[in-house]
Amino acid sequence: EPEVTQTPSHQVTQMGQEVILRCVPISNHLYFYWYRQILGQKVEFLVSFYNNEISEKSEIFDDQFSVERPDGSNFTLKIRSTKLEDSAMYFCASSDGAVANEKLFFGSGTQLSVL
Amino acid sequence: GDSVTQMEGPVTLSEEAFLTINCTYTATGYPSLFWYVQYPGEGLQLLLKATKADDKGSNKGFEATYRKETTSFHLEKGSVQVSDSAVYFCALRDNAGNMLTFGGGTRLMVKP
């Protein structure tokens, strides 16, 4: 089965530094997402992306966050100036449709640790 | 806003025991409901889904029925295996948007 690939699997950074989390969605998918899970808490929606623009975002996704699809295969999440509370597992996902019952495919996540 | 509540874990069972993981939701309208599973070191995978009231989703021996009257989508399996050890997430997706709202996850540990 096709899969979503995320790199790196672990990222350690100093507070205030910029980080870029990378994802390669499934090749024919059109909708892309970022979710995160802080240790011991729920998986939370961050942002969805379609047709080269953000289609929906949560309150978490403030000005420190940005997403980009720099080429035909990658989908990145950038955190401009990391804070301690950004430490979490970040999941990328993709789907080939936007309707409510479409299947999302998730990557295995990037564990971000901000020190 | 939408929310999903599921029982806290960990749930520890012996092999071949019956499994129930409770999930209830709050949402306007008629959301689609999902169970996702996360095996160690892997991403979330869709386990089963139901898109309307009274639908039963099933896969790999797991099943869950969309109960609108009780706003529930409890996950059940008649006989668990060690290989079912994972974290299980209940989720909903409303028809107005394309985001999933997750519960907190329930870790299942099955002992031989």
Side-chain angles (χ1 to χ4, degrees):
Chain A
E1 189 170 64
E3 58 181 28
V4 175
T5 306
Q6 289 186 243
T7 55
S9 56
H10 293 88
Q11 174 91 47
V12 180
T13 190
Q14 295 291 324
M15 190 170 57
Q17 294 296 304
E18 173 184 287
V19 294
I20 297 176
L21 308 183
R22 303 183 190 279
C23 171
V24 179
I26 293 171
S27 61
N28 63 339
H29 283 185
L30 301 175
Y31 296 84
F32 314 112
Y33 311 83
W34 283 100
Y35 287 77
R36 78 173 186 188
Q37 185 180 26
I38 296 171
L39 186 65
Q41 298 186 24
K42 295 185 177 186
V43 176
E44 303 170 294
F45 170 78
L46 294 178
V47 66
S48 60
F49 191 86
Y50 169 72
N51 200 26
N52 284 321
E53 60 183 26
I54 291 173
S55 51
E56 197 170 356
K57 62 181 181 179
S58 71
E59 292 176 355
I60 302 167
F61 195 88
D62 62 21
D63 292 343
Q64 292 299 311
F65 291 87
S66 62
V67 289
E68 191 178 31
R69 189 154 163 79
D71 52 42
S73 60
N74 291 285
F75 179 53
T76 61
L77 174 70
K78 182 193 289 186
I79 308 174
R80 250 179 284 281
S81 178
T82 51
K83 303 188 280 286
L84 295 176
E85 54 265 37
D86 293 328
S87 296
M89 177 72 85
Y90 288 80
F91 293 104
C92 174
S94 69
S95 68
D96 61 6
V99 295
N101 59 355
E102 284 295 331
K103 179 177 177 179
L104 264 66
F105 291 79
F106 284 83
S108 56
T110 294
Q111 180 66 55
L112 175 65
S113 298
V114 182
L115 305 179
Chain B
D2 298 344
S3 68
V4 176
T5 303
Q6 58 183 106
M7 61 191 291
E8 291 188 21
V11 173
T12 303
L13 296 174
S14 298
E15 209 165 19
E16 298 184 3
F18 184 86
L19 168 72
T20 300
I21 300 178
N22 290 338
C23 171
T24 56
Y25 68 90
T26 302
T28 53
Y30 301 93
S32 294
L33 302 174
F34 306 83
W35 277 99
Y36 278 81
V37 58
Q38 185 181 27
Y39 298 103
E42 300 183 16
L44 285 79
Q45 303 173 25
L46 180 64
L47 180 61
L48 54 85
K49 68 179 183 184
T51 57
K52 60 183 188 298
D54 300 325
D55 267 2
K56 178 185 285 188
S58 60
N59 185 25
K60 300 181 181 179
F62 291 89
E63 57 182 37
T65 301
Y66 188 142
R67 301 282 189 205
K68 187 158 179 62
E69 64 277 12
T70 54
T71 61
S72 64
F73 193 55
H74 304 322
L75 182 69
E76 296 182 336
K77 186 174 185 182
S79 176
V80 293
Q81 305 300 311
V82 173
S83 57
D84 293 327
S85 298
V87 182
Y88 292 81
F89 293 91
C90 185
L92 71 81
R93 192 174 184 184
D94 68 41
N95 292 316
N98 57 4
M99 58 174 273
L100 286 169
T101 300
F102 285 90
T106 302
R107 180 175 299 279
L108 170 65
M109 299 169 57
V110 181
K111 297 184 175 180

